[in-house]
C-alpha cells in the first residue's frame, strides 16, 4: 500500500538535512560562532543570532529525553499504527529532535527516559527518509 | 508599569446563549451571542464598542459581523492564552486613551464544527517537516510528552495529576452550566481509556461548542456601568517557543515569564490571591502553571494539589466553574477564565452556597496557549 502518512516538503534551508537522511546520514547544523548545535535547520542560530552555520554529520546515537505513547486522538493516517511511541531524542551532539521509537514495546515499562537509542533510517518513500530510533 | 495598575476594569462578561453541543449554531453566531450578552451585562450597547480583540477569528471578521468599525484592535493569536493577553493589551490601550470600550471575544464550534474559522498548517512549515511525519496527536500528545519529563525529574504521579481532575469536577457539580457534573474518583481518572500516556481521557479537556466575551473600559467609565467593576490590577505575557519539539524545558512553562510582572504591577503577593482560574487544557497544564507562577516550588506541584486542596472547601479554590476539564472547552478556553474570575469577584454566586468563594476580593487568571507555548497572567480585584 502507498505510504499515506504526512510527508515533509523540504525548503531551501532544510534541504541538506533531508538529502542527508536520504543518503542515510544524519546532518545537523552547528554554529561556528557559539558552537551550539542547531535543530531544526535554520538560517540563523537561535542561541546567538549568528548566520554562520555549518552542516555536520552526527553519530546517530542519543538518549530518550521525553516520550508519549499515542493510543487515541491520532491523526487519521496513524490510527492503525496505534499504540506507538513519539519521543524527543537528545543526540550525543546536543540537538533534540522529534521521532518515533521503533523495535520497542509501546509501554511506559519498556520505554524509559534516558534510555540509549540509535538511529534507524526509514525509507518511507522513494524520495523521503525519516529518522527513527531504536534501543541500543 | 505602576501607572497601568487598576486603570481599566471589566464591566461585562457572558457566554453565548447556550454552551455545550450546538449543531444548529455557527461559530460566528456564537461569537455574536456572547458579545451582545456581555455588553448587556455591562448595561452598554454594541454600538458603544470602539475596540475589538479576537484570536481564531480575526478582528476584521468579528467587527464586520457585529457591524463595528473599531478605532483599536488586536489579533494576537497565540492559542488559548490569547484572550488573557488581550486583556492586558486592552487595559494598556484604555489607560492610554486609545479606546474606551473594548470587546474581547472568542467562540468556537469546536465540537459540531459549524462554520469554523480555518486552522492552518502545511508540509513545508517547521511543524510539517519536523513533527507531522511522526504522528504526535495534536495538543494532547504534546502536553503528554512534556508531562513525561516532569514525572521523570520529580516523581510526579498520575494519581497526583488526577487530583486536579477530581477537584475540578467537584466545582463543576456546583455549576448548572457545566458539561459534565457526575462525581469522579481518582481511580476513575487512572482507569479511563488512555489517550496519550500518561494522559487518560479524564486528564484531557472537553470538546464543546461555546463562546465567551468580556467588556473592558476605563475605571471612570466603569463606575457608571450597571455592574460592580472588577479592576485589572496587573498583567504579564510570556512565550518561548511554538512547537513542542522546540520547548526549552518541559518542566518550565512561560508562566515563569508572565507571572512575575503581573504580581509586581498589581502589588500583591501569592497569599493575597483568593481564587484562581488557571487554564486546564490538561491536568499537567495546571500542575506546571502552579509551579511556574510560584504558588509552590519547582517539582512540588504534585504535592501542592494533593488532598483535594483545589476543590470546594480546600484552601486553594481553583477553576471554580469546572474549568476546561468539566465546564466547557471549545478549543481555546482563555476567555472563560476571565468570565469566571469576574463572577467570583462580583460575588455573583453569593446565594449559591459553596459555588461562591467567600469574600473573594483578588483573583488570578492565567491562560496557556499552543503547545505550552505562550501564557498570559492577569490579576483582578473587586473595586
Ligand atoms: Zn550560535
Amino acid at each position: 500500500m502507498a505510504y499515506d502518512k504526512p510527508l515533509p516538503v523540504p525548503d531551501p534551508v532544510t534541504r541538506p538535512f533531508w538529502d542527508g537522511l536520504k543518503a542515510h546520514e544524519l546532518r545537523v547544523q552547528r554554529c561556528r560562532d557559539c558552537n551550539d548545535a542547531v535543530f531544526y535547520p535554520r538560517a540563523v542560530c537561535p542561541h546567538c543570532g549568528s548566520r554562520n552555520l555549518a552542516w555536520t554529520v552526527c553519530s546517530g546515537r542519543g538518549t530518550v529525553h521525553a516520550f508519549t505513547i499515542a493510543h487515541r486522538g491520532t491523526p487519521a493516517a496513524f490510527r492503525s499504527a496505534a499504540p506507538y511511541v513519539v519521543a524527543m531524542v537528545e543526540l550525543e551532539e546536543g540537538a533534540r529532535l522529534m521521532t518515533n521509537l521503533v523495535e520497542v514495546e509501546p509501554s511506559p515499562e519498556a520505554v524509559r527516559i534516558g534510555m540509549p537509542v540509535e538511529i534507524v533510517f526509514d525509507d518511507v518513500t522513494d524520495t523521503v527518509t525519516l529518522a527513527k530510533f531504536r534501543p541500543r | 508599569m505602576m501607572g497601568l495598575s487598576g486603570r481599566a476594569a471589566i464591566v461585562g462578561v457572558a457566554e453565548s446563549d447556550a454552551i455545550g453541543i450546538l449543531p444548529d449554531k455557527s461559530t460566528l453566531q456564537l461569537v455574536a451571542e456572547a458579545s451582545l450578552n456581555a455588553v448587556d451585562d455591562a448595561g452598554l450597547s454594541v454600538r458603544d464598542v470602539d475596540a475589538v480583540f479576537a484570536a481564531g477569528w480575526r478582528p476584521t471578521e468579528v467587527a464586520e459581523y457585529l457591524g463595528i468599525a473599531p478605532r483599536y484592535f488586536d489579533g494576537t493569536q497565540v492559542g488559548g492564552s490569547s484572550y488573557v493577553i488581550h486583556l492586558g493589551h486592552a487595559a494598556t490601550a484604555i489607560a492610554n486613551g486609545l479606546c474606551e470600550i473594548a470587546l474581547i471575544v472568542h467562540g468556537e464550534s469546536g465540537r459540531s464544527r459549524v462554520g469554523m474559522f480555518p486552522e492552518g498548517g502545511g508540509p513545508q512549515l517547521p511543524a510539517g517537516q519536523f513533527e507531522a511525519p511522526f504522528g504526535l496527536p495534536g495538543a494532547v500528545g504534546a502536553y503528554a510528552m512534556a508531562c513525561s519529563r516532569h514525572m521523570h525529574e520529580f516523581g510526579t504521579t498520575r494519581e497526583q495529576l488526577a487530583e486536579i481532575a477530581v477537584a475540578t469536577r467537584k466545582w463543576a457539580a456546583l455549576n448548572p452550566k457545566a458539561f459534565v457534573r457526575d462525581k469522579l474518583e481518582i481511580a476513575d481518572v487512572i482507569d479511563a481509556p488512555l489517550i496519550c500516556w500518561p494522559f487518560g481521557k479524564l486528564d484531557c479537556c472537553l470538546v464543546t461548542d461555546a463562546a465567551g466575551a468580556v467588556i473592558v473600559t476605563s475605571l471612570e467609565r466603569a463606575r457608571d456601568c450597571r455592574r460592580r467593576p472588577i479592576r485589572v490590577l496587573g498583567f504579564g505575557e510570556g512565550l518561548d517557543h511554538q512547537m513542542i519539539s522546540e520547548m526549552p524545558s518541559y518542566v518550565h512553562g512561560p508562566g515563569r515569564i508572565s507571572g512575575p510582572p503581573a504580581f509586581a504591577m498589581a502589588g500583591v503577593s501569592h497569599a493575597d490571591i483568593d481564587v484562581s482560574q488557571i487554564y486546564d487544557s490538561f491536568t499537567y497544564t495546571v500542575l506546571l502553571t502552579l509551579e511556574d507562577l510560584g504558588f509552590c516550588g519547582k517539582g512540588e506541584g504534585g504535592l501542592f494539589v494533593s488532598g483535594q486542596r483545589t476543590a470546594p472547601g480546600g484552601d486553594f479554590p481553583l477553576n471554580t466553574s469546572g474549568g476546561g476539564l468539566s465546564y466547557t472547552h471549545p478549543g481555546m478556553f482563555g476567555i472563560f477564565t476571565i468570565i469566571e474570575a469576574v463572577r467570583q469577584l462580583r460575588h455573583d454566586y453569593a446565594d449559591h452556597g459553596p459555588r461562591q468563594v467567600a469574600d473573594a476580593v483578588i483573583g488570578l487568571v492565567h491562560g496557556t496557549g499552543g503547545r505550552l507555548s505562550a501564557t498570559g497572567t492577569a490579576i483582578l480585584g473587586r473595586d
Side-chain angles (χ1 to χ4, degrees), chain A residues 96-120:
Chain A
R96 274 185 213 149
L97 44 83
M98 187 178 286
T99 187
N100 295 125
L101 297 187
V102 297
E103 300 176 36
V104 63
E105 184 200 333
S107 79
E109 291 73 35
V111 180
R112 293 284 178 183
I113 289 176
M115 186 169 82
V117 292
E118 65 185 9
I119 195 165
V120 176

Side-chain angles (χ1 to χ4, degrees), chain B:
Chain B
M1 278 212 313
M2 294 305 290
L4 290 174
S5 182
R7 303 261 307 272
I10 300 168
V11 290
V13 297
E15 295 109 334
S16 42
D17 295 355
I19 60 175
I21 303 176
L22 306 167
D24 298 329
K25 291 194 176 178
S26 77
T27 299
L28 276 169
Q29 182 178 3
L30 295 171
V31 164
E33 288 179 2
S35 300
L36 297 184
N37 291 343
V39 290
D40 251 16
D41 189 48
L44 296 167
S45 151
V46 73
R47 301 262 71 83
D48 298 321
V49 172
D50 66 353
V52 170
F53 295 74
W57 290 112
R58 291 175 287 198
T60 44
E61 291 160 323
V62 170
E64 173 185 277
Y65 200 85
L66 297 173
I68 299 168
R71 60 180 172 130
Y72 197 91
F73 45 88
D74 181 354
T76 300
Q77 158 55 308
V78 288
S81 58
S82 301
Y83 318 98
V84 180
I85 291 164
H86 292 165
L87 178 61
H89 294 185
T92 304
I94 288 164
N96 284 285
L98 302 175
C99 57
E100 190 176 26
I101 311 280
L103 164 68
I104 307 170
V105 62
H106 181 61
E108 241 173 295
S109 178
R111 188 178 184 107
S112 302
R113 316 297 293 181
V114 184
M116 272 292 284
F117 47 83
E119 292 163 299
Q124 202 168 30
L125 301 185
Q129 292 189 58
F130 300 104
E131 290 194 345
F134 306 105
L136 186 71
V140 58
Y143 286 70
M145 197 162 67
C147 185
S148 77
R149 191 74 207 174
H150 202 280
M151 295 168 80
H152 173 75
E153 290 194 24
F154 304 116
T156 305
T157 64
R158 288 199 63 202
E159 285 74 11
Q160 289 172 330
L161 294 164
E163 291 268 3
I164 295 165
V166 170
T168 307
R169 182 63 62 85
K170 289 177 184 168
W171 285 109
L174 303 174
N175 181 2
K177 290 182 180 173
F179 192 72
V180 279
R181 303 179 65 196
D182 46 315
K183 193 173 188 325
L184 268 191
E185 305 285 355
I186 301 282
D188 298 329
V189 183
I190 305 295
D191 295 340
L194 279 170
I195 306 299
C196 285
W197 181 91
F199 294 162
K201 185 171 191 283
L202 298 173
D203 288 285
C204 303
C205 56
L206 305 165
V207 182
T208 61
D209 305 321
V214 169
I215 306 296
V216 192
T217 189
S218 65
L219 184 61
E220 300 72 49
R221 181 79 187 258
R223 286 176 171 153
D224 295 332
C225 286
R226 198 155 71 81
R227 307 297 300 261
R228 173 188 289 271
I230 299 302
R231 299 172 71 173
V232 183
L233 300 179
F235 46 86
E237 60 196 64
L239 69 81
D240 62 7
H241 65 284
Q242 167 58 36
M243 301 193 293
I244 195 67
S245 57
E246 290 284 308
M247 187 168 178
S249 163
Y250 291 146
V251 299
H252 296 88
R256 75 192 190 285
I257 305 168
S258 63
F263 279 97
M265 190 191 296
V268 305
S269 70
H270 293 78
D272 296 322
I273 304 295
D274 298 311
V275 59
S276 298
Q277 315 297 333
I278 292 176
Y279 192 160
D280 53 345
S281 46
F282 304 96
T283 48
Y284 178 57
T285 320
V286 175
L287 189 145
L288 181 67
T289 302
L290 289 167
E291 296 177 1
D292 289 334
L293 292 179
F295 284 106
C296 59
K298 186 48 68 182
E300 296 171 0
L303 273 179
F304 185 87
V305 300
S306 290
Q308 290 297 287
R309 184 183 199 157
T310 66
D315 68 8
F316 194 87
L318 173 67
N319 294 343
T320 52
S321 64
L325 292 170
S326 290
Y327 151 63
T328 203
H329 188 283
M332 295 195 283
F333 178 75
I335 193 78
F336 299 98
T337 64
I338 306 170
I339 292 170
E340 175 65 13
V342 166
R343 288 173 172 164
Q344 285 289 350
L345 296 174
R346 292 195 310 208
H347 300 175
D348 282 8
Y349 308 119
D351 301 329
H352 297 74
R355 173 85 175 86
Q356 176 66 50
V357 174
D359 307 318
V361 174
I362 308 275
L364 176 138
V365 299
H366 180 90
T368 300
R371 303 294 184 257
L372 291 165
S373 318
T375 59
T377 309
I379 293 171
L380 310 180
R382 185 177 164 89
D383 186 35

